[in-house]
Amino acid sequence: MEWYLALLLMLAIIAFGMAIGLPVAFSFIGANLIGMVLFMGGTGSLEFLSGEMFESVAKFSFLPVVLFLLMGEILFQSKVAFRAINAVDILISRVPGRMSVVAITGGTIFSSLTGSTIANTALMGGVLLPDMLKRGYDPGIAMGPIMATGGIAMLIPPSALAVLLGSLAYIPISSLLVAGLMPGMLMAALFLGYVLIRCTINPELAPVQESVSNLTRREKWRPFLVYVLPLMLIFVAVVGSIFGGIASPTEAAAIGCMAAMIAAAAYRSLSFDVMYTALSETAKVASMIMLIVAGSTTFSQLLSLSGAIEGMLGFVDGLNLTAFGAVLMMLCVLIFLGAFMDQVSMLLVTLPFFLPIAMAQDVNMLWLGVLFLVVMEVSLLTPPFGLLLFVMRGVAPESISMLRIYRAAIPFICLEVLVLFLLFLFPELALWLPSFL
């Protein structure tokens, strides 16, 4: 069978499985079973399938994914994050688009504590959106910052997807985590600038509230000092231990979990029910991710045996692309796929093809990893099937249409693409900070 026919057939099987409603992991496993019959001589190779699936996930490097998920769930389920967001709200007064600014700053803080885009968007949307709409905020300036800031969790440490990408692409995880910090902060700054400029030009988008203007300076700062600064110590503990060479990413993730438990206990929010729910939700998400990883890794092995990867590499080599041209091609493919697939799936489907191409072109893998993470963030908001668009649909009132949610995301998609463009032109934005490790 020609390499392109093998490639199209395997991808078509996965697409068909997803189209009929199969979970991503089972779509991969179904494609693997059919691939064994076609390329390995029948079902006698089931031992190969089970062995490959086990080996693909039996890696110590995946442990930070689970621990970072657990850390975020503890803070989320204990409601500790709610208090921090309210404290930021009280501190900011008479600022154009105040509640949108709270969404960005609070969402960025929560991103640095959880690493979960879904939890971030669900929390900020559930807490802030009803109040913003009640105060007369334009739905676009209310929903856009919440969705956009939710995606920052993919860049700012601790990012579970960064750990997963580093494990699969053999990129040093500590370097990749630190490399995402500057692009993430740059993105948050652009979001803030956009909101402030728009609300200054058109104050009707976000009516000014006087609810906290009469508080004294001490009354405004006390909640921030009590509920926000202590939580930032979790971020310092995680990133600082990695940056200082004190702990590995796995050890830093464990430190983060312990710090989250201590914080919840200090605020008298830690209970058996909170820990049970946090552990249960972590187990659900981690199991799903590991099953997808197992299926996709075996899928890449079958593609290699079928000759599809070798044929595709030969095709790309024939195009005589430069290293920058090859990277640009990868980014375009990921942006396209991001409109239809979830981030883990698109990453695992494309890595078997992209990694050999990048290595053949001698591309800096750390820089490429950061570009991939930014593209994943863009894809979270890309219509029609961006994941955070549907999370927002779940928390927004029924009166707000899906088209309105799409429109709210577009300005922030443009800002994210701008950051991607800057990183593509100036790799130092991503590589400078890790150089100090």
Side-chain angles (χ1 to χ4, degrees), residues 145-201:
I146 294 174
M147 292 187 290
T149 310
I152 290 181
M154 198 165 287
L155 285 173
I156 295 180
S159 167
L161 192 70
V163 176
L164 181 63
L165 173 59
S167 301
L168 295 174
Y170 304 102
I171 302 172
I173 295 174
S174 57
S175 297
L176 187 57
L177 287 171
V178 173
L181 186 58
M182 186 173 290
M185 299 308 294
L186 174 60
M187 210 167 277
L190 289 175
F191 295 162
L192 277 174
Y194 170 78
V195 167
L196 292 174
I197 291 172
R198 278 210 67 192
C199 293
T200 300
I201 295 174

Side-chain angles (χ1 to χ4, degrees), residues 3 311-323 325-326 329 357 361:
W3 70 268
M312 187 174 183
L313 286 173
F315 173 76
V316 173
D317 186 56
L319 296 176
N320 295 320
L321 294 174
T322 63
M329 178 199 69
I357 294 173
Q361 294 283 355

Side-chain angles (χ1 to χ4, degrees), residues 76-246:
F76 182 69
Q77 300 298 336
S78 65
K79 313 298 184 187
V80 169
F82 287 86
R83 299 173 185 175
I85 292 168
N86 290 333
V88 174
D89 181 25
I90 293 173
L91 185 63
I92 302 173
S93 61
R94 296 185 179 276
V95 173
R98 173 184 142 209
M99 293 298 291
S100 296
V101 172
V102 169
I104 296 171
T105 54
T108 303
I109 292 171
F110 194 57
S111 295
S112 68
L113 299 175
T114 67
S116 172
T117 58
I118 296 176
N120 204 355
T121 305
L123 172 69
M124 303 303 294
V127 173
L128 295 180
L129 183 61
D131 192 32
M132 294 169 79
L133 296 177
K134 183 179 178 181
R135 297 184 186 193
Y137 274 61
D138 178 81
I141 210 68
M143 296 185 296
I146 294 174
M147 292 187 290
T149 310
I152 290 181
M154 198 165 287
L155 285 173
I156 295 180
S159 167
L161 192 70
V163 176
L164 181 63
L165 173 59
S167 301
L168 295 174
Y170 304 102
I171 302 172
I173 295 174
S174 57
S175 297
L176 187 57
L177 287 171
V178 173
L181 186 58
M182 186 173 290
M185 299 308 294
L186 174 60
M187 210 167 277
L190 289 175
F191 295 162
L192 277 174
Y194 170 78
V195 167
L196 292 174
I197 291 172
R198 278 210 67 192
C199 293
T200 300
I201 295 174
N202 186 3
E204 293 182 359
L205 292 174
V208 176
Q209 300 295 314
E210 304 293 338
S211 57
V212 297
S213 59
N214 295 325
L215 295 178
T216 65
R217 180 173 297 181
R218 180 177 180 180
E219 290 172 329
K220 290 181 179 180
W221 277 98
R222 185 178 181 278
F224 182 85
L225 297 175
V226 172
Y227 296 118
V228 177
L229 284 187
L231 290 187
M232 293 307 297
L233 294 177
I234 300 176
F235 174 78
V236 173
V238 173
V239 178
S241 60
I242 295 174
F243 196 83
I246 300 172

